[in-house]
Amino acid sequence: MSNQGKAKDPQKTKDQVETTGHSWDGIEEYNNPLPRWWLWTFYLCIIWGVGYSIAYPAWPMLKGATTGLLGYSTRGEVAEDIKSFDAMNAEINAELAAADVTQIAPNTPLHDYATNAGAAVFRAQCLQCHGSGAAGAKGYPNLLDNDWLWGGTVDEIAYSIQHGIRNETDDARYSEMPRFGVDELLEPEQIDQVVEFVLQLSGSEFDAGLSIAGAQVFADNCSACHGAKGLGDRDQGAPNLADAIWLYGGDRETLHETVSEARFGVMPAWGQRLTQAEVNAAAIYVHTRGGGE
């Protein structure tokens, strides 16, 4: 058989680069060595990485990580920054802590500082419940209106922040609504009646027949806290039931749940976690949001 017309492999020369042996559609890949500059850069990166892991915190351990020979700590760096700013603000913070919050006049340097500092405290500690804009959420009061459970003057706000609501501290604001359904203080029919009466108080659609009977149930069981007209009592933390502002909801189903099972919202005593200056600053900030009285 003749080999005429069959292509012959070119003769390899001494300097010809070998291929990798891979072929794609007849295209072969040369096995060129990596450039020396790239290899030296790679080796230097390895050396630098080993040195860095020795000098700085790097390797995770069972508890924490290796500290490194230099003892560097990002937390320590932040702590130093905080310490330096605390030192710069020490004088005005002492003034704010000692001040009567009711006597700090608006548009003064102390009031302006308190407002800005209070905004920082609010963003760090309060927005998780009350929202970034202080408009609240279900079960967490809106701080932008004048519907206050315990009072909306700046000193009352400061007290609420300092001691909290229904927690385990002695000075916390405390009130507790009876569980009229769970503890069988009212019959199911009476709960239906008083719910319709509360719907009438708030201007919602209601069953007139049930509401008439519910008025007497309300007078006998609810008026001691919420008042004869359902306007609430801030000294007891009893909400106003005659408006359209509801902490948990004002529809028939939610009201039935509230009367039957009661509500018991808790707020921490921030005076145990914050300085007096921070408490006063937060109170002034909240007071300036529009709902302060």
Side-chain angles (χ1 to χ4, degrees):
M1 182 176 180
S2 174
N3 289 328
Q4 188 175 2
K6 180 181 287 188
K8 295 182 179 180
D9 293 335
Q11 294 295 321
K12 294 181 179 180
T13 64
K14 182 178 179 181
D15 297 330
Q16 186 172 354
V17 179
E18 296 285 345
T19 66
T20 62
H22 302 149
S23 177
W24 295 271
D25 295 332
I27 301 174
E28 296 182 333
E29 178 185 10
Y30 285 121
N31 190 21
N32 285 309
L34 292 170
R36 288 186 177 276
W37 67 266
W38 192 96
L39 284 173
W40 282 113
T41 302
F42 178 66
Y43 296 149
L44 288 174
C45 286
I46 293 175
I47 295 171
W48 178 87
V50 172
Y52 186 93
S53 65
I54 294 174
Y56 291 91
W59 298 102
M61 308 293 285
L62 292 177
K63 294 182 178 180
T66 55
T67 58
L69 293 179
L70 298 181
Y72 174 77
S73 169
T74 53
R75 290 187 177 184
E77 194 173 65
V78 171
E80 286 297 322
D81 288 341
I82 293 174
K83 186 177 179 180
S84 65
F85 280 104
D86 285 344
M88 287 188 289
N89 294 324
E91 183 177 347
I92 194 168
N93 278 329
E95 181 182 358
L96 179 58
D100 180 348
V101 289
T102 63
Q103 301 302 314
I104 301 177
N107 301 319
T108 60
L110 184 59
H111 190 275
D112 292 343
Y113 172 78
T115 302
N116 290 325
V121 173
F122 187 91
R123 288 191 294 268
Q125 310 292 347
C126 312
L127 65 78
Q128 292 86 348
C129 294
H130 294 284
S132 59
K138 183 176 181 180
Y140 302 99
N142 181 354
L143 305 179
L144 304 178
D145 57 29
N146 282 322
D147 201 65
W148 294 90
L149 288 175
W150 298 95
T153 60
V154 66
D155 55 325
E156 290 171 329
I157 295 172
Y159 188 95
S160 294
I161 296 172
Q162 180 87 26
H163 301 292
I165 312 295
R166 303 185 191 95
N167 54 56
E168 296 179 354
T169 60
D170 294 336
D171 295 320
R173 297 191 185 278
Y174 195 93
S175 65
E176 187 170 356
M177 178 178 173
R179 302 184 301 173
F180 289 103
V182 173
D183 295 333
E184 299 181 351
L185 302 175
L186 293 176
E187 299 293 332
E189 181 182 1
Q190 291 177 303
I191 294 177
D192 292 338
Q193 292 167 349
V194 77
V195 165
E196 295 303 320
F197 179 72
V198 172
L199 288 172
Q200 180 183 356
L201 285 177
S202 63
S204 303
E205 294 183 2
F206 64 97
D207 184 300
L210 291 176
S211 179
I212 293 173
Q216 187 59 50
V217 177
F218 185 91
D220 294 340
N221 297 276
C222 313
S223 62
C225 294
H226 294 285
K229 296 182 179 180
L231 298 178
D233 183 357
R234 291 183 178 182
D235 291 336
Q236 302 182 69
N240 182 356
L241 305 178
D243 57 22
I245 300 175
W246 296 95
L247 188 56
Y248 292 93
D251 59 277
R252 182 174 284 102
E253 182 180 354
T254 302
L255 289 176
H256 198 284
E257 179 184 347
T258 298
V259 175
S260 297
E261 303 178 14
R263 305 293 183 180
F264 197 77
V266 176
M267 175 178 168
W270 288 107
Q272 298 181 343
R273 312 182 191 187
L274 303 176
T275 65
Q276 188 61 52
E278 290 173 324
V279 169
N280 291 350
I284 290 173
Y285 171 76
V286 170
H287 188 257
T288 61
R289 292 307 86 198
E293 299 174 325

